[in-house]
Amino acid sequence: AMLAFRPRPGINTHFRYSKGFKSGGYNIDFVTAPVLTPLEFDDESGDHYELGAKMQLTDSLFVNAVLFRTDYDDLQQSEYTLVPGQPLPVITTKNSGQARTEGLELTAQYE
């Protein structure tokens, strides 16, 4: 969902919310390895929030700003696992719990 507002000519603002997910699965490439338990990993979900503005401050100066945040549940991460009898580690996917990313993106252009 997105809401947009134009407080005056040359300034556009918006608020955006979105929800997404990555499906779960199985680490089935190495099902015979006893160290790869559990084989199954859960869905990952995320809630994304964004607040932004695009502004033409003068005839020559343009500024864009976006403040964002994403909250994850059951974040999926790749992990290197040593398997007895294998010369190299294998890469598996596991859920690592909750996580958050947030930041500010700011750009300016002067012509």
Side-chain angles (χ1 to χ4, degrees):
M2 183 170 137
L3 296 172
F5 178 64
R6 187 175 185 184
R8 68 176 181 89
I11 297 180
N12 293 310
T13 62
H14 74 273
F15 172 77
R16 180 181 321 217
Y17 168 78
S18 59
K19 186 169 187 72
F21 81 99
K22 224 188 301 185
S23 63
Y26 298 89
N27 294 301
I28 60 172
D29 291 340
F30 305 99
V31 293
T32 59
V35 294
L36 299 181
T37 56
L39 294 174
E40 183 177 2
F41 55 94
D42 294 328
D43 295 347
E44 171 187 298
S45 64
D47 293 301
H48 179 77
Y49 308 88
E50 181 177 298
L51 180 63
K54 293 184 176 194
M55 302 168 280
Q56 181 178 358
L57 301 178
T58 68
D59 288 341
S60 303
L61 180 59
F62 301 86
V63 176
N64 298 330
V66 178
L67 185 62
F68 60 89
R69 172 177 156 173
T70 305
D71 293 317
Y72 296 96
D73 284 321
D74 292 323
L75 181 69
Q76 294 175 5
Q77 290 189 311
S78 297
E79 181 178 273
Y80 289 94
T81 304
L82 295 173
V83 177
Q86 296 279 340
L88 298 173
V90 297
I91 300 172
T92 59
T93 302
K94 294 190 177 181
N95 295 101
S96 62
Q98 296 181 328
R100 173 179 290 162
T101 60
E102 56 191 5
L104 171 67
E105 181 179 334
L106 184 64
T107 59
Q109 179 180 342
Y110 184 78
E111 297 178 350

